[in-house]
DNA sequence: CTACATTTGTGAAGTTTTTCACAAACAGCG
DNA sequence: CGCTGTTTGTGAAAAACTTCACAAATGTAG
């Protein structure tokens, strides 16, 4: 039953999990209807999404909140912790490093890199900013599974390749370019300019149709 | 011909524009084939995407780079500048404020707000951090069209409502909640936790199928 | 001016995702 | 224990999106 899962389903699963986290009546149950209401989707969609991964509701009752939450964490792969390397100690890197939800969800930042000599050696929490010279070496040594690229587009492709070379399993990419890496290494792009453009498009569109 | 445009089309338009910007042979032309190669999609998709907005290619030749670039900017609503209000002067707010591509694309940050008394009055570039007490007033006075919410989830809904009340036309939301605003005000969500979850899902999935 | 080599724009076909609708399962109650 | 009121899980229908394939343009070369 678990074959090709739509990206949109994955995004909704995150939403469901978020809803359940802000739901302290942990002992109780929740219906697809209620879950849908919190997530701006439909009950049928919720059930279909979940059905991709098995059937863990009780007919007539709904879903056990505790259990569903645990199951979603498992599906999303956050029922464990991830060893993360942060590449780029600029504003965005700093913001991510400090992001509370980050650590809280098991994403452990175990190394920070930056090419700027002025930054190398700087202490960030328990971490120290390192030189890219020791990139592969450190990634391997610390068994980093996932890197966050918060560097300019010009450097991103090279660092992505080096990360893959060092055995990283996935990349969260903030640089506004399409990385060229082997398909076995998933890349998730976050492109702030694109988000702003989507917004100004939507506004312009609304105005045109008004 | 311009009716309901898929969100995925809008994202691709951004990509096309990005490709064209890194293409200095401005006088020349580019074919849908070439554009597709740079954007990880297909020629047919490129043509279909563009065809939603008219037909501005020349058969046998392709698209005039200059013209297409201008047309894309117009479609995306960035052939003008936007007056932006930044709500939340934390790490994320700072990162966005400093983001070079930001100013470069006509997003003008004209006001910054934060509830933390320690931050109010702080100078950021030419801006000074203001109190939320004067939120609506300032938004109206400066004619802010677009706000960026870089604040905790607990405060986001309230500030969104107040922004709408003050006549804002769109919201870029970094808080991990679904904002409840009138449909005429588009909201674009950026959810870093969700991106990480999508990534860990993809990695886990790859491992399961391996 | 005609034949030719391209490349767009677009209906139609194909695929994917969402919505519908209903049988099956379950708790509660008398 | 059987009836009732829910709510799931899921095929089937509908809608949305992507790919195909080809006629209509357009520049080029002879």
């Amino acid at each position: 039953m678990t074959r090709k899962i739509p990206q949109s389903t994955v995004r909704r699963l995150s939403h469901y999990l978020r809803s359940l986290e802000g739901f302290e009546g942990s002992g109780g149950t929740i219906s697809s209807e209620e879950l849908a209401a919190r997530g701006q989707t439909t009950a049928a969609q919720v059930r279909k999404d979940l059905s991709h991964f098995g059937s863990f509701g009780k007919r007539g009752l709904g879903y056990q909140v505790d259990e569903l939450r645990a199951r979603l964490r498992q599906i999303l792969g956050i029922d464990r912790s991830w060893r993360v390397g942060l590449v780029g100690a600029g504003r965005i890197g700093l913001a991510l490093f400090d992001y509370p939800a980050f650590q809280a969800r098991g994403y452990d930042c175990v190394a920070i890199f930056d090419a700027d000599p002025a930054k190398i050696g700087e202490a960030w929490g328990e971490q120290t900013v390192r030189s890219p010279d020791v990139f592969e070496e450190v990634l391997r040594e610390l068994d980093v599974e996932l890197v966050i690229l918060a560097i300019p587009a010009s450097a991103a492709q090279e660092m992505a390749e080096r990360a893959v070379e060092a055995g990283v399993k996935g990349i969260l990419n903030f640089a506004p370019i399409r990385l060229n890496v082997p398909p076995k290494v998933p890349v998730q792009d976050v492109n702030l300019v694109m988000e702003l453009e989507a917004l100004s498009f939507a506004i312009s569109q609304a105005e045109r149709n008004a």
Side-chain angles (χ1 to χ4, degrees), chain A residues 62-204:
Chain A
Y63 303 87
Q64 189 94 25
V65 172
D66 289 346
E67 190 194 323
L68 182 54
R69 195 156 38 191
R71 205 71 186 68
L72 284 173
R73 287 217 180 87
Q74 189 182 82
I75 292 168
L76 290 171
I78 54 171
D79 57 338
R80 42 160 298 192
S81 74
W82 291 90
R83 304 175 65 76
V84 177
L86 178 59
V87 187
R91 308 290 202 197
I92 294 184
L94 177 59
L96 291 171
F97 183 77
D98 261 17
Y99 201 52
F102 201 59
Q103 191 86 277
R105 273 157 220 286
Y107 296 100
D108 266 350
C109 184
V110 297
I112 307 174
F113 301 89
D114 199 293
D116 180 355
K119 287 205 182 108
I120 296 170
E122 220 173 69
W124 281 29
E126 302 187 348
Q127 300 299 326
T128 300
V129 177
R130 304 177 195 240
S131 160
D133 292 348
V134 293
F135 191 52
E136 290 89 337
E137 188 187 333
V138 171
L139 291 189
R140 282 221 174 77
E141 198 172 301
L142 298 180
D143 209 11
V144 169
E145 301 164 285
L146 199 152
V147 299
I148 299 182
L149 257 37
I151 52 182
S154 54
Q157 178 62 41
E158 183 200 331
M159 294 314 275
E161 281 167 21
R162 292 174 61 185
V164 170
E165 170 59 29
V168 155
K169 292 181 192 161
I171 299 174
L172 185 67
N173 173 40
F174 282 81
I177 63 163
R178 280 264 206 267
L179 298 177
N180 196 351
V181 297
K184 63 164 183 173
V185 180
V187 174
Q188 191 74 23
D189 287 301
V190 180
N191 192 326
L192 298 176
V193 167
M194 237 164 79
E195 304 292 343
L196 275 166
E197 287 175 354
L199 186 58
S200 57
F201 173 81
I203 296 174
S204 308

